[in-house]
């Protein structure tokens, strides 16, 4: 053991665990950041704690390695708010905060509040680090918690307003790296042979089975196994947004995204199924269209690494507790090939019917541009080295319904619910995957939240491409606002959803980004290609029609 500061120990630990970047809101752990810089771990300083958390989240989801964000004591509440999306998205983020010393507690210390209640709802583990001697053990615990089981954020609260007590103290410390916990999944638990056999029997007996793949497939990197099982058993595949790309959208067994942010053909296929195999998917409201798809009484087989998820929303015929990749391998080996030509043909006909219905709008030359055309152009531009990062709301729906991922290796990282997440998250994703091209897809409503992070990307030389569907308002909110205000004579709902028209390209250009304004459909593809090829932070501001800006309606079963 050697005498060292907490700062040097922390920096060397980050390096040893394979962390390449940390996302830091000022002003915290300055000595540690200097030590980190000396060993090649870069610091990115955004314009707020939420953005730091979102960047760490994007980094973690893109790389399947822990993303690290840090804030001083007064920024802890903002950092915790930013962890909500990582928590909902089961992302392995490690958050560190400063906390004033015990002698300053309970005395109305400036800018200090209790942190425990802030982090408990958005982490799977949150702990206090009172002394430097505790720090090595707690840091290893943070990496273990973040990468094992159902992954999720963790939090360490370090003594000192800027973690200074821990970082500036000295002790005899050695860096110990538990290699298993440098990435997720740290473990690949396997189900019992009996449950595998029961699942294989259930799948073989079904006439109209469907696979619904969720974020656990992505976390486990089990995409190839999903396709292999589907092809062996002739089973159509629907996915949640977190698993989009697990099967190419142009594969004959792919029916698209299911649920509330969805394709009509996916919802209809899953509703017609007589058995649904959920793989690594929370059976929550979004992926089941408020628990109406699959239909009540449908046979359910469910695979999840977290046993508490098995049967949470639907009674299960067979539950398999295990890692998605490992479990699917056993299930593939235990299954005999099955042909289901009629059922596969039915699913393909639903997909074909849907594509025929949406094609005219996807190829529309209307001016102002309609978002359907923008999505069609993005499908054409994105290749096997592309990573698409999508915001929530309409951006999430457009991504699910109208953008295809047809190439192996493509990824979608999607917001789990926090509007404005996509821009900071795309910066984190780009630094995690420097050899890939990250494209952020957001609306103007989401872009306004954190548009200052364009400056961060420019300053830090992050070559992310940001595409803004700019229709000057919260168009998703407009319908509900109009209905409510119509009930009160003399009122105007536009104050709730309408924005001033803004040229974001002009603003981004002032911040140093390559900026392109698009107002005609024929200009979209070339603009995005130019942005992606530039090697710079780039923004493509696409002016779209606020009067024709709603995505296709989701399909729901008859009441």
């Amino acid at each position: 053991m050697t005498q060292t500061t907490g700062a040097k120990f922390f920096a060397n630990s980050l390096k040893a665990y394979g962390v390449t970047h940390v996302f830091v809101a000022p002003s915290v752990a300055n000595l540690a950041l200097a030590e980190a810089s000396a060993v090649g771990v870069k610091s990115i300083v955004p314009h707020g704690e939420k953005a730091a958390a979102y960047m760490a989240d994007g980094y973690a989801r893109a790389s399947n390695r822990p993303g690290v964000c840090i804030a001083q004591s007064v920024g802890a509440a903002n950092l915790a708010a930013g962890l909500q999306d990582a928590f909902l998205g089961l992302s392995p983020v490690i958050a560190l905060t400063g906390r004033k010393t015990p002698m300053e507690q309970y005395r109305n210390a400036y800018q200090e509040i209790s942190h425990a209640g802030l982090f408990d709802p958005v982490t799977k583990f949150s702990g206090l680090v009172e002394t430097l001697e505790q720090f090595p053990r707690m840091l290893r615990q943070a990496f273990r918690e973040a990468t094992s089981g159902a992954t999720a954020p963790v939090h360490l609260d370090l003594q000192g307003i800027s973690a200074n007590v821990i970082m500036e103290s000295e002790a005899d410390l050695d860096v110990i790296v538990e290699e298993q916990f440098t990435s997720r999944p740290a473990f690949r638990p396997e189900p019992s042979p009996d449950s595998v056999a029961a699942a294989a029997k259930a799948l073989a007996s079904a006439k109209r089975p469907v696979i619904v793949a969720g974020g656990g497939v992505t976390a486990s990197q089990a995409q190839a196994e999903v396709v292999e099982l589907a092809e062996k058993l002739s089973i159509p595949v629907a996915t949640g947004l977190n698993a989009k790309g697990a099967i190419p959208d142009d594969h004959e067994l792919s029916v698209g995204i299911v649920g509330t942010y969805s394709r009509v053909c996916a919802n209809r296929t899953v509703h017609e199924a007589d058995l649904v195999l959920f793989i690594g998917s929370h059976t929550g409201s979004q992926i089941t269209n408020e628990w109406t798809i699959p239909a009540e009484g449908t046979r359910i087989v469910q695979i999840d690494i977290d046993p508490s998820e098995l049967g949470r929303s639907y009674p299960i015929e067979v539950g398999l507790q295990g890692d998605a990749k490992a479990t699917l391998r056993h299930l593939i080996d235990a299954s005999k090939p099955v042909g289901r030509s009629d059922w596969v043909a039915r699913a393909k006909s639903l997909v074909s019917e849907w594509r025929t219905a949406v094609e005219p709008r996807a190829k529309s030359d209307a001016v102002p541009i309609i978002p359907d055309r923008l999505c069609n152009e993005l499908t054409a531009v994105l290749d096997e080295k592309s990573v698409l990062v999508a915001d929530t709301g309409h951006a999430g729906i457009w991504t699910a319904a109208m953008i295809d991922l047809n190439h192996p290796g493509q990824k979608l990282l999607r917001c789990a619910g926090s509007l404005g997440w996509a821009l900071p998250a795309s910066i984190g994703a780009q630094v995690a995957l420097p050899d890939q091209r990250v494209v952020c897809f957001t609306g103007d409503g989401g872009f306004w939240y954190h548009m200052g992070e364009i400056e961060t990307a420019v300053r830090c030389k992050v070559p992310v491409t940001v595409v803004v569907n700019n229709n000057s308002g919260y168009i998703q909110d407009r319908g509900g606002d109009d209905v409510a205000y119509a009930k009160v004579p003399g009122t105007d709902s536009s104050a709730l959803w309408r924005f001033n028209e803004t040229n974001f390209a002009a603003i981004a250009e002032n911040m140093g980004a390559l900026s392109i304004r698009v107002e005609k459909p024929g200009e979209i593809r070339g603009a995005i290609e130019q942005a992606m090829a530039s090697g710079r932070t780039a923004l493509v501001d696409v002016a779209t029609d606020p009067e024709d800006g709603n995505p296709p309606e989701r399909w729901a079963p008859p009441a």
Side-chain angles (χ1 to χ4, degrees):
M1 303 239 287
T2 43
Q3 191 83 3
T4 187
T5 63
K8 185 180 286 289
F9 167 80
F10 181 56
N12 288 335
S13 294
L14 291 177
K15 179 72 171 180
Y17 270 91
V19 176
T20 61
H21 294 75
V22 293
F23 306 94
V24 188
S27 165
V28 64
N30 296 328
L31 180 60
L33 301 182
E35 296 283 7
S37 178
V39 297
V41 179
K42 297 180 180 179
S43 298
I44 291 185
V45 181
H47 297 283
E49 292 83 6
K50 281 183 70 178
Y54 291 167
M55 289 179 185
D57 187 8
Y59 177 101
R61 297 194 208 191
S63 65
N64 265 348
R65 305 178 74 90
V68 178
C69 53
I70 316 175
Q72 67 159 283
S73 181
V74 70
N78 293 334
L79 195 72
L83 290 180
Q84 174 177 282
D85 213 87
F87 184 77
L88 294 172
L90 300 177
S91 184
V93 172
I94 297 175
L96 297 95
T97 54
R99 179 180 109 270
K100 288 195 174 180
T101 63
M103 286 299 292
E104 297 170 284
Q105 297 294 327
Y106 314 111
R107 301 174 67 185
N108 300 318
Y110 179 54
Q111 297 181 325
E112 184 75 4
I113 61 172
S114 172
H115 297 170
L118 302 173
F119 288 91
D120 284 348
V122 293
T123 61
K124 66 184 290 190
F125 172 79
S126 180
L128 300 176
V129 180
E130 302 279 6
T131 66
L132 179 55
E133 287 76 12
Q134 283 181 286
F135 194 29
R137 174 173 55 82
M138 294 292 280
L139 189 61
R140 292 196 301 273
Q141 182 70 16
F143 277 93
R144 284 195 295 268
E145 294 274 3
T147 58
S148 61
T151 59
V154 300
H155 167 239
L156 297 180
D157 209 11
L158 278 61
Q159 188 174 171
I161 184 172
S162 60
N164 52 293
V165 173
I166 299 301
M167 295 302 181
E168 295 173 12
S169 298
E170 293 188 355
D172 289 331
L173 306 174
D174 274 347
V175 172
I176 299 173
V177 178
E178 297 170 331
E179 186 66 31
Q180 191 167 12
F181 303 104
T182 59
S183 63
R184 71 171 180 183
F187 299 102
R188 294 193 182 275
E190 300 181 354
S192 69
D194 288 346
S195 63
V196 173
K201 182 178 179 180
L203 288 169
S205 70
K207 293 182 179 179
R208 302 183 306 280
V210 167
I211 290 170
V212 173
V217 168
T218 303
S220 179
Q221 301 160 62
Q223 295 91 335
E225 285 76 13
V226 169
V227 175
E228 185 178 351
L229 180 67
E231 292 177 341
K232 186 172 187 177
L233 300 184
S234 303
I235 302 178
V237 179
T239 75
L241 267 168
N242 285 329
K244 186 177 175 71
I247 184 170
D249 280 308
D250 60 359
H251 192 287
E252 67 171 0
L253 292 174
S254 173
V255 297
I257 303 286
V258 65
T260 54
Y261 291 11
S262 59
R263 290 180 174 172
V264 168
C265 49
N267 281 9
R268 291 181 66 183
T269 301
V270 176
H271 184 67
E272 292 182 19
D274 65 355
L275 182 148
V276 175
L277 170 60
F278 284 103
I279 306 173
S281 172
H282 284 178
T283 51
S285 60
Q286 187 177 66
I287 202 166
T288 64
N289 194 37
E290 306 296 335
W291 303 285
T292 62
I293 301 170
E296 186 176 350
T298 303
R299 299 167 66 194
I300 302 294
V301 177
Q302 189 173 358
I303 298 170
D304 205 285
I305 198 169
D306 182 354
S308 69
E309 292 301 326
L310 299 175
R312 181 182 290 273
S313 294
Y314 293 92
I316 53 175
E317 183 173 322
V318 184
L320 300 96
Q321 189 264 319
D323 168 74
K325 190 180 186 77
T327 302
L328 284 172
R329 175 48 51 200
H330 285 294
L331 191 53
I332 291 165
D333 294 342
S335 299
K336 296 180 180 179
V338 178
R340 295 184 171 94
S341 57
D342 289 347
W343 174 230
V344 171
R346 170 59 178 165
K348 289 173 67 175
S349 73
L350 291 172
V351 173
S352 179
E353 179 183 328
W354 172 78
R355 288 197 179 277
T356 299
V358 301
E359 184 177 22
R361 292 181 61 83
K363 296 183 177 180
S364 171
D365 288 325
V367 178
I369 297 166
I370 61 173
D372 314 58
R373 175 66 184 269
L374 169 58
C375 293
N376 191 59
E377 297 301 319
L378 273 166
T379 293
V381 169
L382 299 174
D383 61 18
E384 65 277 356
K385 292 181 70 67
S386 301
V387 178
L388 182 62
V389 181
D391 233 323
T392 193
H394 271 184
I397 301 172
W398 285 117
T399 304
M402 296 300 294
I403 297 177
D404 282 347
L405 299 182
N406 294 327
H407 303 284
Q410 284 182 310
K411 294 182 180 180
L412 170 70
L413 308 179
R414 54 81 48 149
C415 177
S418 304
L419 189 62
W421 174 89
L423 173 55
S426 67
I427 295 170
Q430 184 67 80
V431 301
L433 302 173
D435 296 328
Q436 294 182 255
R437 291 184 287 271
V438 174
V439 177
C440 169
F441 181 68
T442 185
D444 52 306
F447 185 69
W448 277 115
Y449 270 66
H450 295 291
M451 71 175 181
E453 302 313 331
I454 292 290
E455 187 278 333
T456 303
V458 171
R459 169 169 35 93
C460 298
K461 296 181 172 57
V462 181
V464 65
T465 294
V466 181
V467 178
V468 183
N469 172 29
N470 185 357
N471 49 25
S472 301
Y474 286 135
I475 305 304
Q476 186 174 17
D477 291 351
R478 180 179 179 178
D481 294 340
D482 286 350
V483 169
Y485 273 63
K487 297 176 181 178
V488 184
T491 61
D492 179 6
S493 71
S494 64
L496 294 185
W497 63 266
R498 188 68 167 158
F499 300 153
N500 292 331
E501 292 187 11
T502 303
N503 185 329
F504 290 120
I507 296 173
E509 183 178 21
N510 188 261
M511 288 190 274
L514 171 65
S515 303
I516 307 170
R517 172 81 169 181
V518 174
E519 297 180 348
K520 297 179 181 178
E523 300 170 350
I524 298 171
R525 188 177 307 188
I528 298 174
E529 288 175 338
Q530 179 185 347
M532 293 176 67
S534 70
R536 298 171 54 191
T537 304
L539 181 133
V540 180
D541 183 24
V542 183
T544 59
D545 191 350
E547 301 302 323
D548 194 6
N550 286 311
E553 290 287 333
R554 69 177 186 252
W555 182 88

